[in-house]
Amino acid sequence: MSVTDPIADFITILRNGIRSQKGMVEAPYSKMKAEICRILSEEGFIDGWEEIMVENKSGSKFKRLKVTLRYADDLNRISPLSQLERISRPGRRVYIGRRELPKVRGGFGISILSTSRGVISDREARKHNVGGELLVKVW
C-alpha cells in the first residue's frame, strides 16, 4: 500500500497516540517529520523525539521516529497537544505571505510552515519576516 500523504499519516499517529494515552509512538522516518518533531519539542507540545534504526525480518535496516508524548497531568493524562490540523495537502497547497501569518487560538497554538529558511514555526517566520507553505496548525 502506498502512502499519498505521509505528513497527514504522521499527524494521525500522534493524534491516536494521545487519544489512547500512550507514552511513546513510532512512525516511519523522513526529514520533514523530523523537523515537525523538532518544532513540537521546542514549543513544548511533546517531551522529545529520536531517530532509531530498526531491522526487519529480511535483515534490512531502516530509520523510524520515536516520539515521547507529553502529558500535563500524570493522573488524568491530559496532553498540551489537543489538536493537530493538516492544512496544505498534496491535492491543495496553501501558501501564505509574511503579512498573512495566522495566530492560532489567539497565540496559544502554533502554525508550522515550510519556507525558504526551512521548516519553521509561525513565531520564527514572523521574526525572519518570511511566508511559505502552511503545513500544520497545532493547539
Side-chain angles (χ1 to χ4, degrees), residues 52-88:
I52 57 173
M53 292 298 288
V54 179
E55 188 172 333
N56 62 7
K57 293 179 183 177
S58 65
S60 61
K61 294 183 179 181
F62 56 95
K63 288 184 184 179
R64 292 190 55 90
L65 283 172
K66 182 178 175 183
V67 181
T68 307
L69 301 174
R70 173 177 283 191
Y71 295 99
D73 182 14
D74 287 334
L75 181 63
N76 296 326
R77 304 287 279 189
I78 299 169
S79 175
L81 190 61
S82 63
Q83 189 69 28
L84 290 141
E85 182 182 352
R86 177 79 159 121
I87 304 299
S88 187

Side-chain angles (χ1 to χ4, degrees), residues 83-100:
Q83 189 69 28
L84 290 141
E85 182 182 352
R86 177 79 159 121
I87 304 299
S88 187
R89 296 171 167 26
R92 182 177 177 263
R93 302 289 183 186
V94 177
Y95 297 96
I96 55 173
R98 59 188 171 93
R99 292 186 179 98
E100 302 158 358

Side-chain angles (χ1 to χ4, degrees), residues 7-118:
I7 296 172
D9 291 344
F10 176 63
I11 289 170
T12 301
I13 289 169
L14 291 176
R15 197 180 302 128
N16 290 342
I18 289 169
R19 286 187 183 151
S20 62
Q21 299 180 344
K22 294 189 178 217
M24 184 269 306
V25 293
E26 283 189 19
Y29 176 84
S30 76
K31 289 180 184 178
M32 180 71 77
K33 294 175 198 174
E35 288 298 309
I36 290 172
C37 285
R38 180 188 58 82
I39 292 169
L40 290 176
S41 181
E42 286 174 359
E43 296 289 335
F45 288 103
I46 60 174
D47 270 340
W49 64 278
E50 63 180 327
E51 298 173 23
I52 57 173
M53 292 298 288
V54 179
E55 188 172 333
N56 62 7
K57 293 179 183 177
S58 65
S60 61
K61 294 183 179 181
F62 56 95
K63 288 184 184 179
R64 292 190 55 90
L65 283 172
K66 182 178 175 183
V67 181
T68 307
L69 301 174
R70 173 177 283 191
Y71 295 99
D73 182 14
D74 287 334
L75 181 63
N76 296 326
R77 304 287 279 189
I78 299 169
S79 175
L81 190 61
S82 63
Q83 189 69 28
L84 290 141
E85 182 182 352
R86 177 79 159 121
I87 304 299
S88 187
R89 296 171 167 26
R92 182 177 177 263
R93 302 289 183 186
V94 177
Y95 297 96
I96 55 173
R98 59 188 171 93
R99 292 186 179 98
E100 302 158 358
L101 290 169
K103 288 230 181 215
V104 179
R105 296 286 173 156
F108 286 105
I110 62 167
S111 297
I112 299 176
L113 294 97
S114 176
T115 68
S116 58
R117 294 185 178 242

